[in-house]
Amino acid sequence: MPPGARDPNLLSHAAMDWQELAMTAGRGVLVYVVMLIVIRLLGKRTVGNFTAFDLLVALMLGEVVDEIIYGDVSMAQGLTAIVVVALCKYLTTWLTFWSPRLNRILEGTPTEVVRNGEFVRKGLRTEVMNEEEVLAALRLCDISDMRDVKSAVMEVDGKMSVVREEWAEPLTKRDIGEAR
């Protein structure tokens, strides 16, 4: 090649890099959406103490970092994927903040599994929980007798929240002072 002449492959290589980065970004968005749907379908207990979005972002970022570290993707592709996942997380957080309907669709809604000391069968079916799992969750909330429960709800983060019957609430110093 004569001195000062441009290498035609250099321009096509640069165009290819942008195309690859755009494809990486597109794959990142597609995987984010598919994984969010899968995690939502698997139910609240799958995500544990995370929201579905938190778990999804942790999984995806972990995988991207793995690919970068082991050199399976270029640094530019890996960083593009990280930025895309972060932007998707920010966008979905912002959208669910402004749209209660979208929040219910993407994050889910709490499900009552015990009401007035009795299992709520529809709630158990919705959460795909059996009675033993509910009783175990109640024990983790220091409830040994289900009759003490006014309401037990499986929250969207996979934790169970419990409201005791008024008569089953533990005594406080105030209660003892009022009894004198």
Side-chain angles (χ1 to χ4, degrees):
M1 182 171 4
R6 291 189 174 198
D7 181 1
N9 291 329
L10 183 62
L11 292 176
S12 65
H13 182 68
M16 181 60 172
D17 286 345
W18 284 108
Q19 289 173 343
E20 280 186 39
L21 292 177
M23 288 298 293
T24 300
R27 285 192 304 268
V29 171
L30 179 63
V31 169
Y32 183 89
V33 170
V34 168
M35 289 298 294
L36 180 60
I37 291 168
V38 168
I39 290 169
R40 284 287 296 122
L41 290 174
L42 289 176
K44 296 178 188 105
R45 292 180 304 145
T46 302
V47 298
N49 295 333
F50 296 108
T51 66
F53 293 117
D54 296 337
L55 178 62
L56 174 61
V57 169
L59 288 172
M60 288 184 72
L61 290 179
E63 182 60 27
V64 169
V65 169
D66 175 65
E67 297 293 318
I68 294 170
I69 290 171
Y70 289 106
D72 295 335
V73 298
S74 71
M75 184 64 77
Q77 285 177 311
L79 293 176
T80 299
I82 289 170
V83 168
V84 167
V85 169
L87 288 173
C88 286
K89 167 67 172 156
Y90 177 79
L91 178 65
T92 50
T93 301
W94 187 82
L95 290 172
T96 57
F97 173 77
W98 287 106
S99 172
R101 182 172 181 259
L102 189 58
N103 186 52
R104 282 190 304 277
I105 292 168
L106 295 177
E107 289 282 356
T109 56
T111 306
E112 189 173 42
V113 293
V114 176
R115 183 183 313 120
N116 299 324
E118 301 284 329
F119 290 111
V120 177
R121 298 288 168 201
K122 182 179 179 192
L124 294 176
R125 277 191 305 276
T126 299
E127 294 302 324
V128 193
M129 290 182 80
N130 63 42
E131 294 174 359
E132 293 303 315
E133 291 171 314
V134 174
L135 293 173
L138 290 175
R139 286 191 298 274
L140 290 173
C141 296
D142 293 325
I143 306 269
S144 58
D145 188 339
M146 205 168 84
R147 293 174 292 191
D148 294 348
V149 178
K150 184 174 186 175
S151 177
V153 175
M154 182 60 72
E155 301 293 349
V156 296
D157 65 357
K159 291 182 181 177
M160 185 171 294
S161 61
V162 178
V163 176
R164 295 174 188 254
E165 292 286 358
E166 190 174 313
W167 50 264
E169 290 290 339
L171 289 177
T172 64
K173 288 182 181 180
R174 181 185 215 175
D175 295 330
I176 295 170
E178 289 175 1
R180 288 182 184 177

